[in-house]
Structure formats: structure tokens, C-alpha cells
Amino acid sequence: MWSKPWILTQIWQDVLFLHWPVSPKDLEQYIPQELQLDLYENNAWLSAVLFKVKGQRLRFLPPFPGVGTHLQLNVRTYVTYNGMKGIYFFNLDVTNRFIVQIATKGSLSYRHSKISLKQAGDNFSFTSLYQGALDERLEISYQPIASETSSSTFDKWLVERYHSWSKWKSSLVRIDIDHIPWQLQRVHINIESNTLAPFVKESIQGIQPIAHYSKSKQARIYSPKLETGFKNA
């Protein structure tokens, strides 16, 4: 995919990864049947990734006013398709209504949410609230540890993902991204409230996640691709 022209670029800033182990049976019914859960030591993993998007623009064009910057919270799990590892997003919450209107036309799981990210020195506080049938809230404060750390095999398994899938009508669609490997830092976190992913609420409520932080990453996003193969047995 690296030789193909990208269509969109973004800069992700102050990225916080949160990862919880969950039972595969808690997630498998919520992913498309064409996909298989990607397990690590027999666990499925649910992740929340929160960050600020800057410099969003289409190829050859400057950022559109009012669209180039927003806050985002992704809730996702890890999947495979025909031997290819990637991500399935349960939802992508953003602060920009226009992005939601455009993305949902392609059946992407974008939602408009109230999100704030504040910084005081090295301390960050993040709050998100999606008001739906069940309110989904995350309130967390965090402080990155200054030095970068060497990524373990498991760290890379969690964060180095360059493909995602979604359903469009009855078809499975893949989106590829490109960026240099993550430079991770350890991070101190304090979760004040967490009602994300209510369908597995009891599995993650009160459980301290594995956490990583990265200061900045520029990514390129490629055109959606319709999958035509069959998943592995």
C-alpha cells in the first residue's frame, strides 16, 4: 500500500492509549462476521485512544477552516482478515459535527461527543461524554513520564496497526494508514469515571488498563478498499 497515493493526512497530538483485556466472547458478537478477533495470550483487547487532531487536510489542499483541528476518542478492538492484522472501531467520537456528517455517509462509526482536553505543565485532564441510549463517559487525568521507553513485543502488538475495517451496507471495507513506528512513553493515569463500551462495562469497570503515551504522530490515510476475499477458517 505504501506506493499508493494517500488521500488524507492528519497530525495526532498528545496521544493516550488505554488497553483492557476482555473475554473474546464479550466482543465477538459485536464485530462483523467476516472478521476474527486477534487474541494475545487468549485474551481479546479493548482499547480507548484519545488525542488531538491537527493539520487535517486532503492531498494537495490546505486544511479546511473549522475542520483541520478537533478532539477525538476511539474505542476499538484487534482483528484479523485473511491473515492481515488490524483494528475494528466500535466508535470514533469527535468534537466536529461536519466530520460526523461526512463520515457516517460511508458507514463509519463516527459520533459527535462533548470532549475537552486541558494541559497544565506536564499534567493533562481529558473528559468525554457521548449522550445516547446509555451515556458513555471518560474522565481521566494523566502525566507522561519524560523518557521514551523501548517497546516490547506486546507494546508493538497493541499499537502498530495499519489497517482498519468497517461495514458499508453488506460489504467489508478496509482503510489503510501509514506512519513511522510509535515512540512510546510510560504514563501515570488516574481514571475518575469510565462508562465506555457499555456492552462490556462489567469487564473493564474498575480495572486499571495498560497505558502508553506519545507526543505526536503524522499519519497518511489511503482510499477505502472493498474486500473481496474470504476470511480464514
Side-chain angles (χ1 to χ4, degrees):
M1 72 180 182
W2 314 119
S3 62
K4 298 179 182 179
W6 52 273
I7 61 169
L8 181 73
T9 185
Q10 297 176 331
I11 298 172
W12 304 331
Q13 287 191 335
D14 296 315
V15 184
L16 181 67
F17 295 91
L18 305 172
H19 315 280
W20 291 269
V22 297
S23 169
K25 67 181 182 181
D26 287 347
L27 293 184
E28 56 191 4
Q29 61 183 307
Y30 298 106
I31 66 173
Q33 62 180 358
E34 297 91 340
L35 302 175
Q36 292 180 318
L37 287 172
D38 191 10
L39 306 183
Y40 195 93
E41 295 183 348
N42 298 319
N43 285 318
W45 287 80
L46 184 75
S47 289
V49 187
L50 51 101
F51 53 100
K52 182 177 184 178
V53 175
K54 294 188 67 176
Q56 176 172 266
R57 65 177 180 86
L58 295 171
R59 190 180 177 95
F60 303 124
L61 293 176
F64 292 120
V67 180
T69 300
H70 63 269
L71 297 175
Q72 186 160 331
L73 169 65
N74 300 338
V75 177
R76 66 190 200 176
T77 193
Y78 303 99
V79 295
T80 64
Y81 179 82
N82 277 347
M84 184 179 294
K85 293 179 176 290
I87 290 168
Y88 177 73
F89 291 105
F90 295 110
N91 53 266
L92 304 95
D93 291 359
V94 297
T95 52
N96 190 293
R97 292 184 183 274
F98 178 73
I99 293 173
V100 175
Q101 293 172 356
I102 296 299
T104 51
K105 293 182 183 297
S107 297
L108 296 174
S109 301
Y110 277 80
R111 310 183 305 188
H112 178 259
S113 294
K114 298 177 182 179
I115 305 175
S116 68
L117 178 63
K118 299 178 181 179
Q119 181 179 3
D122 294 331
N123 298 299
F124 294 84
S125 59
F126 177 94
T127 301
S128 71
L129 174 62
Y130 172 75
Q131 294 179 300
L134 294 173
D135 288 352
E136 298 175 43
R137 178 187 295 273
L138 178 64
E139 294 182 57
I140 184 171
S141 57
Y142 59 98
Q143 182 181 35
I145 300 173
S147 60
E148 293 181 5
T149 184
S150 297
S151 297
S152 68
T153 299
F154 182 47
D155 292 334
K156 293 176 182 177
W157 186 91
L158 288 168
V159 303
E160 301 296 347
R161 300 279 170 152
Y162 299 92
H163 315 284
S164 68
W165 287 273
S166 63
K167 289 300 289 283
W168 183 70
K169 297 182 179 180
S170 60
S171 300
L172 187 69
V173 177
R174 188 183 84 233
I175 295 178
D176 301 324
I177 66 170
D178 172 21
H179 58 70
I180 63 172
W182 288 97
Q183 294 80 45
L184 299 176
Q185 296 172 231
R186 300 301 179 191
V187 57
H188 295 298
I189 64 170
N190 179 44
I191 298 178
E192 299 170 17
S193 178
N194 175 21
T195 60
L196 298 179
F199 53 93
V200 290
K201 180 179 177 181
E202 293 183 1
S203 297
I204 65 173
Q205 192 71 35
I207 297 177
Q208 191 75 354
I210 295 172
H212 301 98
Y213 171 85
S214 187
K215 181 61 181 176
S216 182
K217 181 69 60 188
Q218 181 165 12
R220 293 175 174 177
I221 301 167
Y222 294 79
S223 299
K225 176 180 173 58
L226 186 67
E227 298 284 24
T228 57
F230 299 92
K231 76 173 183 176
N232 292 333

